[in-house]
Amino acid sequence: MGAALVWCPFPDIESARAAADTLLDEGLIACANILGTIESRFVWEGARASGTETAVLFKTTAERLDDVVERLGELHPYDTPAILGWRVDEAHPATLAWLTGAVSG
């Protein structure tokens, strides 16, 4: 079993906290690092836009990565959220043990 990370910006800290708490309660993640306010610059519906969002990095196991991505899509307040997940190439053995113990399934 390996580690995985999921990056996802939210419109505000309240929605970020709510999603993190739900994923923790459901045993899908071991940790959510709510990184704070970020400036986002992007193209949306053919036009350049910008705004502020709250960045979150979720820590889970490689086995539960797909479940976290799917559940975040259900929880997220945006119609088209930016949810990006990847399996980690290397992780410290203690980190893997913690993730495995904290994430169910």
Side-chain angles (χ1 to χ4, degrees):
M1 179 175 296
L5 298 170
V6 177
W7 166 263
C8 185
F10 287 82
D12 52 54
I13 196 160
E14 292 82 12
S15 61
R17 286 177 178 156
D21 289 346
T22 298
L23 294 175
L24 286 165
D25 290 345
E26 294 177 357
L28 291 173
I29 62 169
C31 177
N33 295 123
I34 300 175
L35 304 171
T37 303
I38 58 171
E39 178 182 353
S40 297
R41 303 182 68 76
F42 50 92
V43 174
W44 182 250
E45 296 179 347
R48 184 178 295 188
S50 65
T52 57
E53 296 179 295
T54 299
V56 184
L57 185 65
F58 298 95
K59 298 173 189 164
T60 189
T61 60
E63 179 180 84
R64 297 307 302 264
L65 177 59
D66 293 342
D67 298 325
V68 172
V69 169
E70 181 179 338
R71 186 69 171 119
L72 267 175
E74 296 168 359
L75 296 171
H76 206 286
Y78 290 162
D79 291 335
T80 308
I83 303 169
L84 304 170
W86 63 96
R87 287 165 179 79
V88 175
D89 291 335
E90 295 292 332
H92 190 276
T95 303
L96 286 175
W98 166 65
L99 284 171
T100 302
V103 174
S104 59

